[in-house]
Amino acid sequence: MRMTAFGARGSMVAAIGQGTWRLDDASRSGAMDALRKGLDAGMTHVDTAEMYGEAEPLVADAIEGRRDEVFLVSKVLPQNAGKTRAIAACERSLKRLRTDRLDCYLLHWRGSVPLAETIEAFETLVADGKILSWGVSNFDVRDLEEAVAIAGAGRIACNQVLYHLEERAIEHAVLPWCEDRGVALVAYSPFGSGDFPDASSESGAVLEAVAKEAGATARQVALAFLTRRPSVLTIPKASRVAHALDNAGAGDLELSAEQLVRIDAAFPLGPKPRYLPMI
Ligand code: NAP
């Protein structure tokens, strides 16, 4: 499994991790099994959030007895991101996750609470050892600039944003901004949240052809393409063991420069949208 530096001062984290949004929609025990087998296969970066309902307790069960193996990330909802409310929200997440600390805690998206309040709460949580680092999610460059102006350089560990083959908007400005400042970029919904290019489409056929050459699957090729730059990690969600193991396999896949060019051409970047896309 390829390891990636998580922010300027961060530890090395598995480039391919595991998302947990709607993880137990089909079966709780199946989801637990997928998470555990995913951990066994090296996908030790686990992403959850207070918003994901039963996901935090599910993660607690799945990582029971192996907390130290996991790079555990959770998120505070914008409406809970006030100076004292964010601390209370984090403590609730710690309780649901049955742990004493998070490796990283994120603001899920910008809301109406002043960013300075949230950052003050995050820094208090760091000082108290309840979180080891903090980051943001769905932040465009303007939000990132504002956060750095408040927090100072080197404090934002990551920006978690929408990034998949058919949605590459972050490559215009957010990704270069993060790379220049040592902020890890975490790609969420790397399979388009289940809307993955069909093998019978023109672009899907390119993926299939590259996969065949590389002795890999189309989804492994997609994950390898998304994490082709050393600042990018990704967190696919898999509620089936076979899917989790497939995704973990991308952690050892390296595409050639020529294969990257073909994928780039099949899934063009497109123009810069006015607003950063999110789901
Ligand atoms: P995703 O990872 O893009 O796609 C998940 C879908 O792909 C599921 O239907 C899953 O099926 C399927 N899948 C996974 N691996 C597969 C494989 N190897 N072969 C075939 N199908 C496979 O969707 P996502 O859940 O939207 O995004 C991933 C994570 O990002 C979330 O779980 C969450 O942690 C995070 N996220 C963050 C934000 C944010 O605002 N910060 C927003 C959205 C998501 P099965 O479940 O049946 O295995």
Side-chain angles (χ1 to χ4, degrees), residues 6-20:
F6 202 88
R9 307 177 188 182
S11 40
M12 297 302 283
V13 175
I16 315 293
Q18 306 193 74
T20 62

Side-chain angles (χ1 to χ4, degrees), residues 21 47 137-138 160 189 191 193 237 239-240 243 246-247:
W21 184 33
D47 178 78
S137 178
N138 297 301
Q160 188 182 118
S189 304
F191 300 141
S193 215
K237 170 263 194 181
S239 46
R240 291 155 219 255
H243 289 170
D246 184 28
N247 298 342

